[in-house]
Amino acid sequence: MKQDMIVVLDLGSTENTVLARAIRELGVYSEIHPHDITAGEVKALENVKGIILNGGENRIVDGKEVEVNPELYTLGYPVIAIDCPSAKCEKCYAKLPDKEALKAFVFDTCKAEANWNMKNFIEDQIEQIKKQVGDKKVLLALSGGVDSSVVAAMLIKAIGQQLVCVHVNHGLMRKNESEGVVKVFRDELKANLIYIDASERFLTKLENVADPEQKRKIIGGEFIRVFEEEARKLEGIDFLGQGTIYPDIIESGTKTAKTVKSHHNVGGLPEDLQFALVEPLKQLFKDEVRACGLELGLPREMVYRQPFPGPGLGVRCLGAITRDRLAAVRESDAILREEFAKAGLDKTVWQYFTVVPDFKSVGMKNHERCFDYTVIIRAINTIDAMTASIERLDWDVLEIITNRILAEVPNVNRVCYDMSPKPPATIEFE
Ligand code: XMP
């Protein structure tokens, strides 16, 4: 292993990630583990240089204060505790130590080396993946999103053709998006990629379905069915690759913190498809995942892709999806993205897209009455997607986009800008 490591044990702190990130900022790798980790499990982590018991307001679980396994004190690693009255070590801090104190512990007491960087992280992960997978095969649902793309690039580097990627095009992808996945992964990275164009199947299932929740359920359920059908056709798969990242684990609930929302990266695959999981990004934060992707050689636009909902353009073609309105969403979205990139807004605005509602309005084209669709532009900024404010878009940019949409997108005669913050509006319309 290339990197030294400081282990943070979660004894009910709400600041585990703050602490782990502070240590990583010192150039030393840090992982967060549950309080009840065994001595054997700590030893198996390799290159551990010290342990921090991180207590806090969630330390009482089921009426009892959480404690660590007493053998951890006898392993010979330096141990300190933060806000942790039951700890039996040297040094106890009432709250998160400042940078100098943390530096002193990490470098002077633990003698850790500042050798955490993406290159070393990738090499360590590759070594672990090879050890875990051996000569077996790994299946990966490759959506083209940041996390699954970075996992794919990492697994290709580690096990090459033993990785089988499946990309399901549900017909609700953005313009040229599936083509981009095939180009990068099959043509450039030489991945073993199965591309399934399931567009017709999804669009047929969605015909006349107007209820947003039902649309989401159909898209999610059908996705699993298509993926499962492919998985069953393949032979000798033992592992499933997943793009789980650290925030997914926290939001899904730890042993001391409550669930915010459950994350299902491949969402409810049937239990008889028994796979062991390979999750090489599960200790990374989003910005680190992007850095990892760049280091692995993925294109910038893939690594810095804005968030895109699983149900894709399906929740932006409002009400019952029709092919002409879906085409209008796809084309107008492509124009919006192109103009945002030209204006440099792709680097500053958090999320931007178009939607097409299921009504028409009267207009004039070529001196004749027309009755066509409306495109709504939405551009928002947010930190965590829980609340959002609108982008105060430059009037000239808005006009250029509007004129292009009206000139280039068939069946559209009106463009609006959505001024609504979240709350009360959500970022997506459905
Ligand atoms: P809302 O509409 O809830 O969206 O304000 C918050 C953020 O989440 C994205 N979003 C999704 N992402 N699967 C995802 O992976 C989904 O089903 C989904 N729905 C919404 C949305 O684009 C925004 O960034």
Side-chain angles (χ1 to χ4, degrees):
M1 297 296 266
K2 297 261 177 199
Q3 309 172 102
D4 290 349
M5 190 199 303
I6 302 291
V7 173
V8 172
L9 293 188
D10 169 21
L11 277 90
S13 173
T14 52
E15 293 188 313
N16 292 309
T17 54
V18 178
L19 177 58
R21 293 211 62 145
I23 299 167
R24 289 185 194 185
E25 268 157 36
L26 297 176
V28 177
Y29 184 53
S30 173
E31 286 190 357
I32 304 161
H33 287 274
H35 63 87
D36 56 358
I37 191 168
T38 64
E41 285 167 335
V42 172
K43 278 199 211 148
L45 290 176
E46 294 184 32
N47 284 13
V48 173
K49 295 287 168 183
I51 300 175
I52 302 179
L53 314 183
N54 199 21
E57 61 190 61
N58 295 327
R59 75 167 74 86
I60 309 293
V61 174
D62 297 332
K64 262 183 53 195
E65 184 167 339
V66 294
E67 287 189 56
V68 292
N69 282 307
E71 322 93 271
L72 292 191
Y73 296 110
T74 65
L75 291 176
Y77 302 122
V79 182
I80 57 169
I82 301 167
D83 191 10
C84 206
S86 61
K88 297 177 184 60
C89 50
E90 314 106 271
K91 190 135 183 99
C92 292
Y93 292 89
K95 59 182 179 52
L96 214 60
D98 62 19
K99 194 172 172 188
E100 286 312 308
L102 202 58
K103 245 174 155 171
F105 175 67
V106 170
F107 296 115
D108 303 340
T109 313
C110 300
K111 308 263 183 290
E113 255 186 71
N115 54 12
W116 145 251
N117 59 46
M118 257 323 141
K119 238 189 175 81
N120 286 345
F121 175 80
I122 291 167
E123 281 189 32
D124 282 353
Q125 289 303 318
I126 286 175
E127 189 185 316
Q128 281 185 11
I129 292 165
K130 283 183 172 160
K131 217 187 277 176
Q132 184 189 5
V133 172
D135 59 0
K136 303 283 195 318
K137 282 189 189 161
V138 180
L139 178 65
L140 176 74
L142 177 59
S143 66
V146 180
D147 304 339
S148 71
S149 298
V150 176
V151 171
M154 176 96 88
L155 286 166
I156 290 165
K157 208 159 185 181
I159 56 169
Q161 296 297 300
Q162 285 163 255
L163 172 71
V164 184
C165 299
V166 175
H167 177 74
V168 177
N169 177 357
H170 51 24
L172 305 165
M173 303 291 279
R174 288 175 287 198
K175 191 171 179 177
N176 296 330
E177 200 156 32
S178 284
E179 292 82 348
V181 171
V182 172
K183 181 173 167 285
V184 169
F185 287 96
R186 184 186 282 166
D187 302 346
E188 290 167 19
L189 298 176
K190 310 291 174 209
N192 187 354
L193 171 70
I194 299 172
Y195 169 72
I196 299 158
D197 184 357
S199 307
E200 279 308 313
R201 181 169 165 169
F202 277 82
L203 295 182
T204 308
K205 278 257 165 188
L206 286 163
E207 251 163 44
N208 303 317
V209 181
D211 177 64
E213 278 308 301
Q214 215 189 333
K215 282 166 71 179
R216 280 176 170 269
K217 276 191 192 133
I218 290 173
I219 299 167
E222 202 58 17
F223 184 88
I224 290 167
R225 265 188 293 280
V226 174
F227 187 73
E228 187 198 333
E229 281 169 24
E230 283 312 307
R232 289 194 196 281
K233 278 187 216 159
L234 299 166
E235 299 212 331
I237 303 272
D238 289 83
F239 295 92
L240 190 68
Q242 283 219 35
T244 315
I245 69 171
Y246 199 71
D248 301 341
I249 295 179
I250 301 173
E251 290 197 352
S252 299
T254 61
K255 284 182 182 163
T256 61
K258 296 203 173 55
T259 305
V260 180
K261 60 180 169 190
S262 297
H263 283 248
H264 299 284
N265 278 7
V266 186
L269 282 181
E271 288 193 354
D272 64 333
L273 283 176
Q274 282 164 353
F275 296 117
L277 296 180
V278 182
E279 299 175 297
L281 308 182
K282 70 164 185 259
Q283 288 288 342
L284 295 189
F285 298 96
K286 195 76 183 188
D287 55 323
E288 295 170 337
V289 173
R290 295 191 208 277
C292 184
L294 288 180
E295 183 68 37
L296 286 162
L298 288 180
R300 261 200 108 70
E301 57 281 8
M302 191 168 248
V303 165
Y304 281 94
R305 198 177 97 130
Q306 54 168 324
F308 187 57
L313 301 181
V315 290
R316 296 178 182 171
C317 182
L318 306 187
I321 296 169
T322 57
R323 286 165 204 253
D324 57 348
R325 279 192 308 116
L326 183 59
V329 181
R330 184 172 282 128
E331 291 304 319
S332 56
D333 172 76
I335 292 170
L336 181 76
R337 285 191 288 138
E338 209 179 299
E339 293 301 328
F340 262 51
K342 270 192 210 159
L345 291 164
D346 56 331
K347 295 185 185 67
T348 57
V349 182
W350 202 82
Q351 196 172 8
Y352 44 95
F353 53 87
T354 60
V355 300
V356 177
D358 52 350
F359 64 80
K360 288 183 173 179
S361 70
V362 175
M364 288 272 288
K365 267 186 199 167
N366 304 324
H367 311 290
E368 276 184 35
R369 179 190 188 273
C370 61
F371 191 49
D372 280 327
Y373 297 122
T374 296
V375 167
I376 300 174
I377 297 172
R378 184 140 175 80
I380 60 93
N381 290 303
T382 176
I383 305 249
D384 55 9
M386 303 299 285
T387 61
S389 58
I390 58 148
E391 168 75 9
R392 287 174 172 244
L393 209 55
D394 181 79
W395 204 256
D396 292 340
V397 175
L398 206 47
E399 226 167 2
I400 291 170
I401 297 166
T402 300
N403 291 339
R404 275 198 64 191
I405 291 173
L406 292 177
E408 295 173 37
V409 183
N411 309 312
V412 172
N413 64 358
R414 198 175 292 269
V415 176
C416 300
Y417 190 59
D418 184 354
M419 297 290 290
S420 329
K422 173 182 180 174
T426 50
I427 296 174
E428 302 289 345
F429 275 53
E430 290 191 335

